[in-house]
Amino acid sequence: MRHLISIKEQTKWDILSILELAQKIKAKRQAGELTNLLPNKTLVMLFEKTSTRTRISFETGMTELGGHSIFLDKRTTQFSLTDFSDEIQAVMRYASVLMFRAQKASDVELAASLNQIPVIDACSEKYHPAQALSDILTMAEKSGGIENVKKIVWLGIENNVSNTLMLACAKLGIQVVIVAPEVDQASVDSELNRQAEATGKVLRTLDLATALANADYIHTDTWMNMEFFDGGQVKPEFQTEYERRKQTFLPFQINAELIDTFAPRAKIMHCMPLHIGYEISRDAVNHSGSVIFDQAENRLHMQKAIILWLLEKEGEILNS
Ligand code: CP
């Protein structure tokens, strides 16, 4: 049974197949063709954390595939009252695919290990494979083919999003440069790092000029925790950590000056939500190289491809 957890399980050929599927399904949508390939199938979406893009793109995607989705959160279900393993086994009896935004990747892995239905890690503390594959779709489109993407740079904190993007790109033979003064310790997966480094495609440096030279894409994500703020003001108990992070990470902010100085032809990407003035400036979001909103849209097309691939239905699109 196929699962999408960390990209460690996927080969280069799996990634290319999912990419081709997403490109074809997007083209069909743009041509006004229906893709009702999943009638009577249900996607269960379990969220232990908040979401805008992941929820909407998976839910809309399942609708456009002719199926149905059910949104569950921890607060309004019985998950907080009982053993997770028992409850998730019951939930999976009702559905064809489980999409799970979990606090702990180990819970996603537990659900997948039961091999009842395909399971997607929809952003745990360690992985965000649906985002990584969507980003590969965006880069392939903007570069006229993923084979034309030679180098990407990740700026800011090394985390769940960078983990899966790094591994997916490294598997495709893309040079990945990580410019991160800190690693989110909860995100560390030594086996993932070993797999990525074994490709010979990963470089870690804090030298911006070296990192950004000839970059095709620059990616970033938040390095400020949103619980630090209340009504736009920093809560007193987080003031020290807020100042420390600003000092540590601001030199690695994506802004127009940085782009124009070091990587004028690079495209700018951010998985969103944006935290303007922290990891990215407004002038970078509005920069001519920004592809951030196309990147957000591509979540929809890629989520459909992921669901079809997990259900081993790719032939119905790739051979049509
Ligand atoms: N990028 C992303 O996963 O967005 P959401 O947190 O809004 O789902």
Side-chain angles (χ1 to χ4, degrees):
M1 180 168 290
R2 291 173 173 174
H3 302 287
L4 182 67
I5 309 295
S6 66
I7 306 282
K8 285 185 292 189
E9 331 72 55
Q10 274 72 45
T11 65
K12 170 182 178 174
W13 307 111
D14 291 331
I15 297 169
L16 290 175
S17 179
I18 299 168
L19 171 61
E20 187 184 355
L21 194 51
Q23 288 167 326
K24 289 209 163 150
I25 205 151
K26 182 171 180 177
K28 282 184 185 292
R29 186 179 195 262
Q30 288 173 332
E33 277 182 54
L34 295 179
T35 49
N36 292 317
L37 297 170
L38 300 179
N40 305 315
K41 299 280 186 203
T42 297
L43 169 73
V44 163
M45 307 186 300
L46 174 57
F47 284 89
E48 293 182 345
K49 297 183 274 188
T50 55
S51 166
T52 302
R53 279 143 293 275
T54 302
R55 177 180 177 180
I56 297 172
S57 58
F58 271 105
E59 191 164 338
T60 306
M62 197 60 184
T63 302
E64 293 188 8
L65 290 171
H68 176 67
S69 12
I70 297 175
F71 171 83
L72 298 178
D73 71 14
K74 216 168 182 177
R75 195 177 48 83
T76 54
T77 55
Q78 309 293 28
F79 275 96
S80 52
L81 304 180
T82 185
D83 181 78
F84 172 77
S85 171
D86 295 334
E87 202 71 351
I88 201 71
Q89 282 192 62
V91 164
M92 290 195 289
R93 293 286 179 106
Y94 301 111
S96 297
V97 180
L98 172 67
M99 188 235 78
F100 187 10
R101 175 162 285 192
Q103 295 284 359
K104 293 186 291 176
S106 56
D107 282 342
V108 184
E109 286 160 353
L110 188 158
S113 72
L114 298 168
N115 272 321
Q116 287 179 224
I117 57 173
V119 173
I120 303 163
D121 183 321
C123 191
S124 61
E125 84 285 17
K126 290 191 193 301
Y127 316 117
H128 200 354
Q131 183 69 54
L133 293 173
S134 304
D135 293 352
I136 284 170
L137 171 61
T138 304
M139 293 190 286
E141 280 178 352
K142 301 293 173 189
S143 293
I146 200 66
E147 66 281 4
N148 296 325
V149 180
K150 304 296 181 201
K151 179 178 178 182
I152 71 160
V153 180
W154 178 271
L155 282 185
I157 195 163
E158 207 172 331
N159 66 5
N160 49 358
V161 179
S162 67
N163 278 347
T164 29
L165 182 67
M166 169 180 73
L167 183 58
C169 288
K171 283 189 175 186
L172 293 176
I174 299 167
Q175 174 78 57
V176 182
V177 184
I178 306 281
V179 188
E182 284 182 16
V183 178
D184 172 20
Q185 288 304 315
S187 76
V188 173
D189 176 344
S190 311
E191 174 53 27
L192 183 147
N193 281 326
R194 259 194 302 279
Q195 269 198 26
E197 283 155 16
T199 64
K201 289 290 175 184
V202 176
L203 171 71
R204 288 182 173 82
T205 178
L206 292 180
D207 185 295
L208 282 167
T210 306
L212 291 166
N214 301 315
D216 295 308
Y217 294 87
I218 311 174
H219 295 252
T220 191
D221 188 17
T222 185
W223 36 255
M224 202 59 97
N225 287 7
M226 289 307 108
E227 59 264 32
F228 291 0
F229 302 92
D230 182 16
Q233 300 298 311
V234 182
K235 293 181 194 165
E237 64 269 36
F238 292 119
Q239 191 68 46
T240 306
E241 181 59 10
Y242 169 83
E243 295 297 343
R244 190 194 71 77
R245 290 200 191 187
K246 249 178 49 174
Q247 200 155 7
T248 304
F249 290 105
L250 262 185
F252 305 97
Q253 180 195 64
I254 301 187
N255 54 56
E257 188 187 346
L258 177 128
I259 299 155
D260 296 339
T261 305
F262 294 115
R265 64 168 195 85
K267 300 253 183 299
I268 300 152
M269 297 184 67
H270 190 306
C271 58
M272 302 182 83
L274 304 167
H275 306 97
I276 302 292
Y278 296 100
E279 74 275 5
I280 194 161
S281 64
R282 177 58 66 193
D283 61 13
V285 176
N286 296 339
H287 195 275
S288 58
S290 169
V291 296
I292 290 169
F293 296 101
D294 292 336
Q295 180 185 4
E297 179 196 320
N298 276 336
R299 293 293 304 275
L300 169 64
H301 311 297
M302 181 49 82
Q303 313 320 258
K304 289 199 271 189
I306 290 169
I307 294 166
L308 289 173
W309 184 81
L310 287 172
L311 292 172
E312 303 186 36
K313 295 243 178 216
E314 67 268 30
E316 296 184 32
I317 293 285
L318 295 179
N319 303 327
S320 67

